[in-house]
Amino acid sequence: MTDESRGVGGTVGPPWSVDVLADLHAGVLDEHEAAQLWPRVQADPEARAIIEALEATTADLAALADEPAPPMPAEFTARIDQALAAEAASRQAASFPASAEAPAEPGVAPVVDLAAARRRRNKRLGWGAGTLTAAAAAIVALAVTVPGTSTESGTAGVAAPAPAPSVGSDGSGAEALLGGAMGVRDFGPLQDEQRLDACVSAAGLDPDVRPEGIRPVTVDGKPGVLVIYTTGQLAQFRLVAFGADCGPGHADKLFDKVVGKK
């Protein structure tokens, strides 16, 4: 970002730079800057309106993850199916030596059973027209793998996960993570939603309340998960962190605090 108005102690303030507010909302400012800017933003109606719009956009984008993937248009499915069938038929024809084929009349190509070739192709590849979208998604996932990187176990070609950010035992510093965690559903050491629900229930909270964000965090050196809830107040959030040992009957709650506008 190159906006010259950025920087606490400078000219940040009304009229607010959208870039500054976006950086604040995204959690990319350092903890000191964020702590100084949030009270000023919350006290300014124009700035709050921009933050609210950013929050709404983030929530809309997060909701897309729960939407079912639209089916591939029929015309493209048919074209892909035809291309695969033609390739299967070509391979079938090439797999038989000329001596094994029945003599063909001069100038007449051998007849290929397209339906049989398609059945063999589907059996061999395990693909049907209805699963081509999933196969394409897997190819895209492979294409974005970072080359030359590895996981902690040494698997080549797979990027290692970024370390979880650290905050204090009382949650100090967690507010700066708000923007980057909105819409995220990364259960970290808890692994899945069922485990998190058990932790939430053990803490006396309602697991049916959908968090605004879930992300791994390190609290005073202890691995855990930060869960972000709205409070019904604009730009105010409840931050609850659970330790990796939490589960049914054991909340292992590391901190529980409300940040933002009081």
Side-chain angles (χ1 to χ4, degrees), residues 110-144:
V111 176
V112 176
D113 186 340
L114 181 59
R118 181 172 296 170
R119 286 194 297 271
R120 283 191 294 271
R121 176 260 301 172
N122 287 343
K123 182 178 180 181
R124 183 171 64 252
L125 298 181
W127 285 359
T131 59
L132 287 174
T133 301
I139 294 171
V140 171
L142 288 174
V144 300

Side-chain angles (χ1 to χ4, degrees), residues 28-39:
V28 299
L29 301 182
D30 63 45
E31 182 180 346
H32 178 69
E33 279 188 307
Q36 287 190 297
L37 283 179
W38 273 116

Side-chain angles (χ1 to χ4, degrees), residues 55-255:
E55 289 176 2
T57 300
T58 302
D60 288 344
L61 292 175
L64 292 177
D66 298 326
E67 294 294 326
M72 180 182 292
E75 58 178 300
F76 295 117
T77 300
R79 289 168 60 184
I80 293 174
D81 198 49
Q82 289 170 6
L84 290 175
E87 176 65 17
S90 176
R91 289 178 179 273
Q92 177 197 9
S95 66
F96 291 98
S99 60
E101 294 179 355
E105 298 182 11
V108 179
V111 176
V112 176
D113 186 340
L114 181 59
R118 181 172 296 170
R119 286 194 297 271
R120 283 191 294 271
R121 176 260 301 172
N122 287 343
K123 182 178 180 181
R124 183 171 64 252
L125 298 181
W127 285 359
T131 59
L132 287 174
T133 301
I139 294 171
V140 171
L142 288 174
V144 300
T145 300
V146 179
T149 57
S150 63
T151 62
E152 294 179 1
S153 61
T155 304
V158 181
S166 298
V167 299
S169 59
D170 60 349
S172 57
E175 185 172 356
L177 305 178
L178 275 175
M182 291 297 191
V184 174
R185 296 185 66 78
D186 184 347
F187 300 96
L190 300 186
Q191 300 183 344
D192 55 41
E193 189 169 13
Q194 289 71 28
R195 175 82 178 278
L196 176 61
D197 286 349
C199 300
V200 170
S201 295
L205 303 176
D206 185 356
D208 291 332
V209 176
R210 181 181 175 87
E212 292 299 306
I214 306 165
R215 65 162 300 166
V217 68
T218 300
V219 182
D220 197 24
K222 182 175 181 179
V225 174
L226 176 66
V227 185
I228 304 170
Y229 295 100
T230 56
T231 63
Q233 298 293 325
L234 177 64
Q236 184 184 83
F237 300 92
R238 182 179 182 181
L239 309 182
V240 185
F242 297 98
D245 296 330
C246 74
H250 177 53
D252 193 18
K253 190 162 59 173
L254 304 180
F255 64 79

